[in-house]
Structure formats: C-alpha cells, structure tokens
Amino acid sequence: MAVNLEAGWREASIAGTIFEAGNSIEYITGTWRTLRPVYDAEACTHCMICWVYCPDSIVLVENSKVIGFDYDHCKGCGICAVECPVKVKAHAYTGQPGKVIQMVEETSFE
Amino acid sequence: MPKSKIRALDGAHAVAEAMRQINPDVVAAYPITPQTAIVQTFSNFVADGLVDTEFVAVESEHAAMSTCIGASAAGGRVMTATASAGLALMWEVVYVAASLHLPIVMPVVNRALSAPLNIHCDHSDSMGTRDAGWIQLYSENPQEAYDNVIQAVRIAERLLLPVMVMQDGFITGHGVERVDVLDDGTVKGFIGEYKPEHSLLDVDNPATYGTWDMYDFYFEHKRQQTDALSKALPAIVEVGEEYGELTGRKYGIFEAYGMDDAEMAIVVLSSSAGTARMVVRGLREKGVKIGLFKPRVFRPFPAKEFAEALADVKAVGVLDRSIVFGAMDGLGPGPLYLELCAALFAAGNTTTRVADYVFGLGGRDIIPAYVEQVAQDLAEIAETGEVKTPVSYLGLRE
C-alpha cells in the first residue's frame, strides 16, 4: 500500500510507524543528488564491483549485466565511481579519460 | 474495600513496592541520589525472584530511557526511575519516548540541577522536561507517590503516552510515613494486562518504529502528540475515580482545601502543600478567607479547570520550586506561575491578581512563617488589587 503523501494528521500513521516491509522504494531520494553516475556501457566489464559497493542497491542488473542505475533512488554518493576498477581513455558520455563510471554534474542534464 | 496493609515507608520504598506489584516486563534504570532507593530496592526484588521483570543495569540514564523505548516498542510494560542530572542526561530520549507514543512510566524523585552540585529537592529537573510531551503527576507524600505510580500505568497504556510521577527528593523520598499498601492481587486487577496494538515482537505483523521523517510529515506527527495530550485530562480523572472507588482514595487533577469561599489562594505542588495546608488551616480558624490549591497534574496543564477554580479568587500566591531563567524580563518566575497566568488570561480573567514566590531551591526549607508572609502579601493584594512585586523569593538571604 502506497503512503498517502496528502494525508492529514488524523490519517497519518501514528509517529510515522511503518507497517509495510520494504516501502522505502516509494520514497524518492534521487532528488537529493547533485552528481549523477554515468557508465560507459561499451567499456563496462560487468565485474559487479559497483553493484557490491552501492549502499542503496541502485545498480540495475539483468542477466548478469549492468544495465544502468535507478536514478529515482541514487543519492549520488559516488562510491561506484571510486570503486569502479575499469579504466577508459575516453568515456562514451563525458569524453574524459578515467573510469567506466564517472560522476557528472546533475545541472548539466535537462 | 480490598485488603491492604498499613506500612511505614518512605516515598522511594513506597514506589519500589508499587513497582513490585506492577511487575513490569522490563525495568532499565541507573541509580542516582535521591532516586537510588527505588532502583536498589527494586533490584533486590528482582534478585529475590519476587518479580518476573527483566532488569537491565544500564551504563547511563540515556541508555536507560533508550532501553525502555526499545522494550516498550517491543510490546512490554516498561518502567524506569530517575532524578536531577539523570533526567537531564536522558533528555534527548525523553522526547523520543513521548513522540513514539510509548506508555513508559517513570517515577522521578525531584532534585536540583548543577551547578553548584546539590543533591536536595527542587523541581528544576522535571520542570526542565515539561515540554517533552509526557504526562506529569506531582505527589505530596509517599502515599500519593504509591497511588500515582499505580494509576500511571493505566493512564499511560490507555492514552499511549509516557507518564512521570514526581515526589520531592529526601523530603518525601526519604521521609518515612504511613502508607496504605494494597494487596498484590488488587493492584494486578486494577492495572490489568497490557495488550499493545502493535509491537516489534509481533513477527507476523512487522512494524518499523522511529522512522525518518521529513518536512512532509514531521509537522503532522507533532500535531498527533498535541491531540493525544489534549485528551489526557478526562482519562486521568476517570482512572482517579476508579482508583477512589477501589481504595477510598479518589484522585482528580487538583486538590482544593478551604477554596469554597476563598478570596485568597496559595498554589503549590508536592510536599510543600502539607506546610501550606497547615498554615491555611490556622488562618481559616482565625476567619481569614484563604484556601490551598494543590495541582496534581502539571502536564497536560489543566488551564480551563484551574482558571475556573480560581475565577472568584482576588489574590493568588504561587509557590514555585524552580526558576524559568530569563522569563519575564529575566525576573525568573517559576513555570507554575507562568502557566497559571496564561490560563487566567486565556479565560478572560482580568480580576484575579497573581504573585509568584520562588522557594526551596536546592532543598532550602520552607517553614510556616514563609507561607504566613505570603498570606499577608495576598491580603494586601486582595485589598488594593495591585501586585507590587510579581516575583519574590522565600527564605533567601538578602
């Protein structure tokens, strides 16, 4: 059951106690982000280091391949970009040398 | 009447006895003068197998209240006890207990706050937590402390709010008096079983307590607290009446002595009401129209009831055993005076004059002569309608 964000104080759960397990998926924390992780899909070796290290489990994986990030919940901490072990001469998105995952200013996106 | 036994007990032992009879699921406490006798005596009961309580000997009062919060959220009937610096150290989590609506019961044996270091009675400690969202009951003597603690369990669990039960350090806490102790079965029957609607240990219905709350919901959750407190007074009165039917000792939200036709009133909490009552009795015998008004409940503050009870009184002398530093141009009145003035003003009362008397800080004695001095002041205020000194000090060396 989704949390009713318009609930008045009479309807809101007492003291904010939560009775549904796993409902943090409903809480959009991606808006906190100032830097966005962007990965170079061609150069990525799918080693899963970023998947292991991500504290918010936002690295999306399908059939053992990294397919992107859950930007609704990524807070932009940058741990994935630090831990990423694969180097590129020119990142597919940024054009910069460095890691497969690079952090990009959020303001540069539409 | 149920079976009971008259015993010679000080306030701390009377409360420990009540705790034995309540038999809480969890008690987490740290000893501090003058509360020590409660925790020490209760831990003896635990060691002797007289209670089923899980006693947690914590490393601090902050840990004591934190443990109580976890245990209460887990669905237990939970108690602790503290005083002075202990309550001050607990402060952060005192708020958490109230804002999570956990029915924790905490006897407090009132003691001054440092500095300078002082172990004796005043009300700075519990008054410091008056905005924390707890219900506060003040007791005059060991009997009231015992009765209030038993009622507090019912009040807390009915309202889902924590309750503090105060008694004066040393004066009541270590003063041996006659206490009518109910038999164990009567107390057990009165408090009944605690059946929480939700609990952490209900694994079939998992719940998360103490969640993250942003500007989108925090305000609504604070409003829920004011709602719960605004419904507390009728519940406190009902429990007090039921306790009265059971024991012959009925409790309301205040005690009025000689107030029926009173033109003057002395308002005071806890043990000093005994001294004031004696003075009022003597003055009444001389035909002076003075009464004693002793609040039992300070939180929630019964503003309407107090304003109504004092509506026809010309002069009120409030005796405050703590200072709200910086209040009223820094004059340092006490919280009871400030709350009472606000209550009278809100009720549209423009005729009752109120003066505040700070007394008894750090255990300074209050003697009948001080109360007589207040009565003399009140006679002048009643006649002139003028309060010359809004805040004065009883028993202070000039």
Side-chain angles (χ1 to χ4, degrees):
Chain A
M1 192 184 77
V3 172
N4 174 13
L5 294 173
E6 298 302 317
W9 64 268
R10 288 180 187 84
E11 292 83 43
S13 138
I14 294 286
T17 305
I18 292 171
F19 299 105
E20 294 89 31
N23 79 343
S24 57
I25 193 85
E26 294 169 21
Y27 202 88
I28 305 302
T29 51
T31 54
W32 303 4
R33 192 175 58 241
T34 58
L35 295 172
R36 181 188 294 195
V38 179
Y39 87 125
D40 185 331
E42 288 299 311
C44 178
T45 64
H46 308 284
C47 68
M48 298 297 152
I49 292 285
C50 58
W51 180 84
V52 168
Y53 274 91
C54 175
D56 278 319
S57 306
I58 62 96
V59 179
L60 303 174
V61 174
E62 233 176 66
N63 299 322
S64 304
K65 306 272 188 202
V66 172
I67 58 160
F69 303 108
D70 169 5
Y71 290 126
D72 280 347
H73 298 96
C74 168
K75 296 174 186 140
C77 69
I79 289 174
C80 55
V82 168
E83 297 299 336
C84 176
V86 184
K87 288 178 180 151
V88 289
K89 284 181 180 159
H91 189 280
Y93 181 82
T94 67
Q96 298 295 315
K99 304 278 191 71
V100 159
I101 302 175
Q102 296 190 5
M103 301 304 287
V104 181
E105 287 282 348
E106 196 60 40
T107 49
S108 71
F109 296 94
E110 281 295 309
Chain B
M1 283 294 141
K3 276 185 282 182
S4 65
K5 196 176 174 186
I6 306 294
R7 294 179 58 188
L9 292 172
D10 62 32
H13 282 83
V15 163
E17 192 62 11
M19 288 173 73
R20 183 187 63 73
Q21 296 179 314
I22 291 163
N23 195 8
D25 295 309
V26 175
V27 169
Y30 191 88
I32 181 167
T33 302
Q35 157 267 34
T36 308
I38 297 178
V39 175
Q40 179 184 307
T41 309
F42 185 76
S43 61
N44 280 345
F45 294 150
V46 175
D48 293 344
L50 299 177
V51 287
D52 308 306
T53 307
E54 177 81 28
F55 182 84
V56 188
V58 285
E59 75 273 21
S60 77
E61 285 82 358
H62 192 281
M65 184 50 69
S66 299
T67 304
C68 286
I69 287 166
S72 183
R77 181 175 266 162
V78 178
M79 295 182 75
T80 183
T82 193
S84 183
L87 183 53
L89 180 58
M90 203 184 261
W91 203 75
E92 177 198 3
V93 267
V94 167
Y95 274 72
V96 176
S99 48
L100 288 179
H101 297 253
L102 298 173
I104 297 163
V105 172
M106 174 162 69
V108 171
V109 189
N110 283 117
R111 166 185 152 183
L113 291 172
S114 295
L117 183 60
N118 179 294
I119 59 168
H120 289 280
C121 177
D122 69 37
H123 297 166
S124 308
D125 50 0
S126 59
M127 284 301 173
T129 60
R130 68 189 182 277
D131 296 342
W134 285 58
I135 289 168
Q136 290 196 338
L137 308 176
Y138 285 79
S139 323
E140 182 181 335
N141 49 42
Q143 182 73 64
E144 287 191 7
Y146 171 83
D147 292 338
N148 278 337
V149 165
I150 293 168
Q151 290 172 71
V153 174
R154 281 279 301 276
I155 295 166
E157 290 169 6
R158 176 158 160 193
L159 296 166
L160 291 181
L161 286 173
V163 182
M164 271 183 223
V165 178
M166 269 58 78
Q167 59 175 299
D168 281 349
F170 290 103
I171 302 159
T172 307
H174 286 56
V176 176
E177 289 191 28
R178 174 191 188 280
V179 181
D180 189 359
V181 177
L182 298 167
D183 79 321
D184 294 358
T186 303
V187 176
K188 195 177 172 184
F190 181 78
I191 60 172
E193 262 185 67
Y194 175 46
K195 291 182 187 135
E197 199 182 335
H198 309 288
S199 94
L200 281 175
L201 292 183
D202 181 359
V203 289
D204 295 327
N205 300 289
T208 304
Y209 285 80
T211 52
W212 168 249
D213 214 358
M214 289 281 272
Y215 31 71
D216 52 1
F217 269 106
Y218 183 86
F219 204 170
E220 279 70 25
H221 291 138
K222 292 296 113 179
R223 179 66 182 86
Q224 291 171 344
Q225 283 183 256
T226 67
D227 183 59
L229 279 160
S230 73
K231 289 169 181 160
L233 288 175
I236 293 169
V237 170
E238 268 178 47
V239 171
E241 278 173 2
E242 196 186 318
Y243 192 78
E245 281 164 25
L246 185 70
T247 64
R249 294 186 298 278
K250 188 178 153 183
Y251 284 81
I253 56 174
F254 62 85
E255 180 201 321
Y257 175 80
M259 287 295 299
D260 285 347
D261 61 342
E263 292 176 357
M264 298 176 283
I266 289 172
V267 180
V268 64
L269 298 168
S270 298
S271 69
S272 311
T275 310
R277 192 184 293 103
M278 193 193 83
V279 172
V280 166
R281 189 186 297 136
L283 290 168
R284 274 279 168 187
E285 282 166 8
K286 290 178 193 163
V288 181
K289 288 190 172 176
I290 190 165
L292 167 73
F293 187 85
K294 180 187 80 174
R296 171 187 178 229
V297 184
F298 186 82
R299 280 289 181 261
F301 194 80
K304 276 185 201 141
E305 289 82 354
F306 288 5
E308 207 170 291
L310 297 169
D312 299 326
V313 177
K314 288 178 184 165
V316 174
V318 178
L319 272 53
D320 260 305
R321 202 158 197 161
S322 62
I323 291 176
V324 179
F325 284 106
M328 253 179 65
D329 300 318
L331 284 177
L336 188 53
Y337 166 82
L338 292 172
E339 293 271 349
L340 196 61
C341 287
L344 291 168
F345 183 82
N349 184 324
T350 53
T351 51
T352 302
R353 295 281 176 263
V354 192
D356 194 26
Y357 298 86
V358 174
F359 77 100
L361 300 188
R364 176 71 48 90
D365 250 346
I366 179 160
I367 58 173
Y370 298 158
V371 185
E372 283 161 12
Q373 181 195 323
V374 172
Q376 279 174 22
D377 279 4
L378 293 180
E380 196 186 319
I381 292 168
E383 198 178 308
T384 61
E386 195 188 338
V387 180
K388 280 181 192 157
T389 315
V391 182
S392 42
Y393 307 91
L394 295 177
L396 175 79
R397 291 188 302 277
E398 291 296 340

